[in-house]
Amino acid sequence: MAERFTGSFTQQEPIPEEAIAAALGVMRSGRLHRYNVASGEEPEAAALERDFARMTGARYCLALASGGQAMAIALRAAGVRPGDRVLTNGFTLAPVPGAIAAVGAVPVFVEVTERLVIDLGDLEAKIASVGAKVLLLSLMRGHIGDMSALLRLCAEGGVTLIEDCAHTMGATWDGRPSGRFGLAGCFSTQTYKHANSGEGGLLISDDAEFMARATMLSGSYMFYGRHPAGPEPEIYERLRYETPNCSARMDNLRAAILRPQLATLGERVARWAALYRSVEVGLEGTPGLVLIARDAREGFVGSSIQFRLPGWEGPRIAALVARCAARGVELKWFGAAEPAGFTSRHDSWRYAPAQRLAQTDRILSTLIDMRLPLSFGLDDGRLIARIIREEVAAAAHAAA
Ligand SMILES: *Cc1c(COP(=O)(O)O)cnc(C)c1O
């Protein structure tokens, strides 16, 4: 009998008891809104901002309603205006071009490489030809790439870097935390990321004026003085009259759920590394299957794994996905004709002008992606790899 996997690829771990207790405390207080504070009390949202600023080494942190809101607010606070072009990766998730569109700007997609990082040659060419002043770099699936080369290109082209760190919370490049390479880093605490509050976002930066604008945009009313991880109140003197309130605050309940999770992020990152490795080792040497090479400087978080099936035709990949699904292994394919679930592509985002991305399309047409939730153990990782390995071999056999 063929082995079957019975775990759920969308099942995260439960919220830790300490976080549940903290959430109950907030609910008993009735003070869920971040600016509803009893005298002498530090609200959970403000404490979360302090915690995350300390963790990442950023001067400032702002807690928001989602990762998408963090990106849209960051773009606007960085001075992006309607009609401006904003560079971003051709391979990313829908909230990234969505955030660009939310500020009325136009996404310009940059090709990705076979390592699933932004193509620096195409980036350089597009910086020169498009005249964009901002790059919203999506560290999609935690692939980081050569950040020093990227920073050089941005500096030469006068391009401001904003990092989308939805998949790199807890990751580093050359020892430096992801999100600390440009003007700002945007994180998500949505259920499928590295800390889970259902929805949520965190924005970090060292730039006082940028963060003051972002705080006003988030909807701070005139309570910006209640941001211990925010800039000095003096900087708001002029800004506070000029910056609209877009109401995208995080509440104390979500912040309470997140703080104990941030405190144990390092431990989860280590477990993800072991789980990733259990799958990777099981897939190594599978004929026809190419794993994604990682740069030694990349301290990535193994919350998902990708591989390529170069030369495979669409129907054969579709058959592999179906056969793995029948054995309980849920693979995502970015090459299907229609976007399903989380697999939309640049050509699904038709509010943006159609763009030619021959290299990205070629890579995505044979790219497989798989979630690795921490509800899986190492034996699960090994079993999943065995199933994929067998089905890849069976598909190759069928084609021969
Ligand atoms: C999840 C995600 C985001 C942010 O998503 P929200 O659901 O808005 O928190 C941003 N970028 C990528 C690549 C993502 O996967």
Side-chain angles (χ1 to χ4, degrees):
M1 257 279 286
E3 290 183 295
R4 253 190 75 89
F5 180 63
T6 54
S8 164
F9 283 80
T10 51
Q11 182 59 57
Q12 303 293 11
E13 292 188 295
I15 298 300
E17 288 304 324
E18 195 190 334
I20 294 172
L24 288 174
V26 170
M27 286 192 279
R28 292 203 173 97
S29 79
R31 293 185 294 278
L32 275 68
H33 192 282
R34 68 168 297 160
Y35 300 126
N36 183 195
V37 196
S39 94
E41 176 184 56
E42 178 173 53
E44 290 284 343
L48 173 72
E49 291 167 343
R50 273 199 304 108
D51 291 351
F52 197 63
R54 194 180 325 110
M55 254 180 77
T56 52
R59 192 170 299 160
Y60 308 119
C61 176
L62 177 67
L64 292 157
S66 71
Q69 286 288 350
M71 291 185 288
I73 284 176
L75 291 170
R76 193 158 176 180
V80 174
R81 313 207 35 113
D84 286 356
R85 287 150 183 246
V86 173
L87 296 161
T88 193
N89 305 51
F91 173 46
T92 185
L93 210 77
V96 178
I100 296 170
V103 297
V106 181
V108 176
F109 299 112
V110 180
E111 300 269 25
V112 291
T113 71
E114 291 180 343
R115 290 185 160 206
L116 306 184
V117 299
I118 199 161
D119 185 316
L120 295 179
D122 194 43
L123 177 64
E124 185 171 20
K126 283 181 176 152
I127 288 176
S129 66
V130 168
K133 287 290 155 231
V134 174
L135 165 63
L136 179 55
L137 176 69
S138 184
L139 301 164
M140 181 66 170
R141 294 298 183 259
H143 297 275
I144 301 178
D146 185 343
M147 290 303 289
S148 47
L150 182 132
L151 288 179
R152 212 175 313 120
L153 289 183
C154 288
E156 283 165 12
V159 167
T160 298
L161 171 65
I162 296 173
E163 293 173 83
D164 162 26
C165 304
H167 304 163
T168 56
M169 182 187 279
T172 54
W173 191 84
D174 211 10
R176 190 155 148 197
S178 185
R180 298 286 296 134
F181 289 82
L183 173 65
C186 309
F187 297 79
S188 169
T189 61
Q190 190 237 74
T191 292
Y192 300 113
K193 315 298 162 109
H194 301 168
N196 177 7
S197 59
E199 304 283 359
L202 290 162
L203 176 64
I204 56 172
S205 178
D206 285 346
D207 187 301
E209 201 173 313
F210 166 86
M211 203 43 119
R213 267 197 300 274
T215 305
M216 288 304 299
L217 285 164
S218 78
S220 63
Y221 299 102
M222 293 296 162
F223 294 117
Y224 45 78
R226 296 191 188 170
H227 284 254
E232 294 299 315
E234 298 74 65
I235 197 142
Y236 289 85
E237 258 164 43
R238 183 178 47 81
L239 279 172
R240 64 182 187 157
Y241 299 108
E242 296 172 354
T243 315
N245 174 329
C246 301
S247 274
R249 297 166 300 274
M250 184 184 282
D251 57 274
N252 287 330
L253 189 54
R254 286 173 199 190
I257 292 171
L258 287 171
R259 290 183 62 214
Q261 296 182 55
L262 287 191
T264 56
L265 179 62
E267 175 261 331
R268 284 200 306 289
V269 169
R271 282 162 58 213
W272 258 313
L275 177 59
Y276 183 96
R277 196 66 194 133
S278 73
V279 177
E280 185 180 47
V281 166
L283 293 178
E284 270 165 6
T286 305
L289 182 153
V290 178
L291 289 158
I292 311 296
R294 320 274 320 212
D295 190 304
R297 289 165 293 186
E298 217 180 88
F300 66 97
V301 181
S303 53
S304 68
I305 189 165
Q306 293 73 41
F307 58 84
R308 297 186 301 109
L309 299 163
W312 285 43
E313 302 293 334
R316 206 162 130 217
I317 298 184
L320 173 72
V321 170
R323 291 180 60 119
C324 286
R327 295 178 67 182
V329 174
E330 205 179 295
L331 303 179
K332 284 188 269 178
W333 177 34
F334 279 89
E338 285 299 320
F342 291 89
T343 60
S344 67
R345 278 191 313 252
H346 70 91
D347 55 351
S348 327
W349 307 322
R350 293 180 198 164
Y351 49 83
Q355 294 166 52
R356 253 185 63 79
L357 292 163
Q359 177 178 309
T360 299
D361 290 345
R362 179 177 57 73
I363 291 164
L364 295 191
S365 70
T366 65
L367 180 68
I368 299 289
D369 173 39
M370 184 170 71
R371 278 200 178 108
L372 296 174
L374 284 179
S375 56
F376 294 178
L378 300 187
D379 284 340
D380 295 328
R382 293 182 195 109
L383 170 59
I384 290 165
R386 277 200 303 280
I387 291 173
I388 296 172
R389 200 181 178 98
E390 285 170 16
E391 292 303 333
V392 166
H397 192 75

